[in-house]
Amino acid sequence: MKFDVLTLFPEMFEPIKQSIIGRATRKQLIDIKITNIREFSKNKHKKVDDTPYGGGAGMVMMPDVVYEAYKSVKTDKAKVIYMSPQGKTLNQRKVEDLAKQEHLVILCGHYEGIDQRVLDKIVDEEISIGDYVLTGGEIPAMVLIDSVSRYVEGVLTKDSIKEESFSNGLLEYPQYTRPEIFEGEKVPEVLLSRSP
């Protein structure tokens, strides 16, 4: 599975190189490429945003810069996702569907958003990670990469994803490990016959 992330803040993606996702990247089970949208600005100051037509607070990312960044990573099999509070809320079914894709291009907005004309031209789907607003799309992009990568073959063992929380509409049961007694609380008796 290939992930291409288009962002103004590539340094925010350092945490995604750790733990299970980092190991999957090193094993070449997934490929995560971070592209700095700012590199496609033709402005000598690398400006990527401007004031919105019609007025209003904040700045809007310019369509030409976003479009050039998109063209640098697009493929025929790429599905383009814009991380947006206006998108459909990410859930387990959507994660499993996205894991069947070969190439996801994830567009991270900032400021007041991205010029609608380029979104209409390149985006296949808008996804939100919840009913709240963040400062940009980078953290939601990491959530999407992490959740989808779990379903790429070899990233986790088949047993690890067989009984996932939310897969059957239910949460997993509580988990316990050693020591048998912690701060006066004992592991439930029924579990002691199945010691780790």
Side-chain angles (χ1 to χ4, degrees):
M1 155 88 48
K2 181 175 183 181
F3 297 95
D4 270 294
V5 181
L6 305 178
T7 176
L8 292 177
F9 299 96
E11 59 279 359
M12 287 185 70
F13 288 87
E14 285 302 311
I16 203 80
K17 298 175 183 175
Q18 311 305 315
S19 188
I20 293 168
I21 305 304
R23 186 170 57 237
T25 302
R26 288 187 294 279
K27 288 182 174 180
Q28 299 179 349
L29 299 170
I30 59 174
D31 178 24
I32 303 171
K33 181 181 174 203
I34 311 299
T35 298
N36 188 343
I37 296 170
R38 197 173 301 280
E39 291 176 8
F40 297 87
S41 174
K42 292 177 176 64
N43 179 287
K44 69 177 182 178
H45 301 293
K46 297 296 183 188
K47 185 175 167 122
V48 295
D49 59 354
D50 210 334
T51 55
Y53 279 108
M59 303 290 273
V60 176
M61 289 173 64
M62 297 183 291
D64 55 337
V65 180
V66 173
Y67 188 61
E68 291 302 316
Y70 156 75
K71 287 194 321 187
S72 77
V73 300
K74 76 176 181 108
T75 63
D76 291 340
K77 296 186 179 188
K79 179 177 179 95
V80 181
I81 296 169
Y82 176 43
M83 303 310 297
S84 161
Q86 289 86 16
K88 290 182 182 170
T89 304
L90 184 64
N91 61 28
Q92 191 65 26
R93 179 175 287 136
K94 175 53 68 179
V95 165
E96 292 175 23
D97 286 345
L98 290 173
K100 296 172 186 167
Q101 300 291 321
E102 289 182 34
H103 183 195
L104 295 178
V105 176
I106 306 170
L107 177 58
C108 303
H110 246 280
Y111 315 120
E112 289 301 308
I114 298 174
D115 187 297
Q116 188 65 43
R117 294 169 294 178
V118 74
L119 296 178
D120 291 343
K121 187 169 185 64
I122 68 171
V123 172
D124 296 308
E125 186 170 2
E126 291 189 30
I127 293 179
S128 168
I129 62 165
D131 292 335
Y132 46 88
V133 179
L134 298 171
T135 56
E138 288 76 17
I139 292 172
M142 286 186 267
V143 168
L144 185 71
I145 292 168
D146 188 282
S147 60
V148 169
S149 293
R150 295 171 55 84
Y151 290 92
V152 172
E153 189 172 338
V155 173
L156 297 175
T157 64
K158 290 195 188 305
D159 286 344
S160 293
I161 58 174
K162 187 168 52 174
E163 293 183 27
E164 291 275 67
S165 296
F166 300 110
S167 289
N168 299 315
L170 302 172
L171 292 172
E172 280 189 58
Y173 44 83
Q175 303 287 332
Y176 302 89
T177 190
R178 292 186 176 100
E180 186 177 321
I181 299 172
F182 169 73
E183 296 287 316
E185 295 293 324
K186 190 172 180 180
V187 172
E189 199 66 39
V190 69
L191 299 177
L192 294 176
S193 63
R194 300 180 184 179
S195 297

